[in-house]
Amino acid sequence: MHELAITQDIINVVCEHAQGTKIRRIVLEIGKLSAVLPDAVRFCFELCAEGTAAEGAELEIIEPSGLARCRICDNHVTLDRPIGRCSCGSTDLEWISGEELKIKELEVA
Ligand SMILES: [Zn+2]
């Protein structure tokens, strides 16, 4: 389960940033094409945050849809999952966004 390692990384980063101050709220952005499961991150978060400055922090996860460009007709296609189809019928899509995983906001006490 790679979400555990990802969540651990996120907590390391936010705790370093907070410099010992208690963290109130964290907003994460996990693109729908990132192959990271937000529910798994939520689950790991509580485990990993225990005993750190992030313990008890509110975790909010934003899941932006992916955007791709069709290589056949050049249209833009919105993707909610890694597999999609353009309105022209093509599945030859080039991903533009939706793979991001980042800390969008951090609120400390
Ligand atoms: Zn197309």
Side-chain angles (χ1 to χ4, degrees), residues 5-73:
I6 290 167
T7 309
Q8 192 64 62
D9 274 354
I10 291 167
I11 288 178
N12 288 343
V13 170
V14 296
C15 286
E16 200 173 302
H17 196 82
Q19 296 183 323
T21 318
K22 193 112 182 77
I23 295 165
R24 259 195 213 154
R25 187 164 159 263
I26 300 166
V27 181
L28 293 181
E29 195 173 287
I30 301 178
K32 283 186 178 163
L33 306 180
S34 66
V36 176
L37 300 171
D39 280 347
V41 171
R42 271 192 199 98
F43 177 78
C44 296
F45 182 80
E46 286 194 21
L47 294 175
C48 296
E50 224 177 271
T52 74
E55 189 175 348
E58 189 192 326
L59 179 68
E60 193 182 316
I61 298 178
I62 300 167
E63 299 169 67
S65 292
L67 186 68
R69 186 185 67 85
C70 174
R71 287 196 179 96
I72 308 298
C73 72

Side-chain angles (χ1 to χ4, degrees), residues 69-77 85-93:
R69 186 185 67 85
C70 174
R71 287 196 179 96
I72 308 298
C73 72
D74 216 30
N75 257 330
H76 282 137
V77 185
R85 186 184 289 268
C86 174
S87 52
C88 76
S90 163
T91 52
D92 192 2
L93 305 173

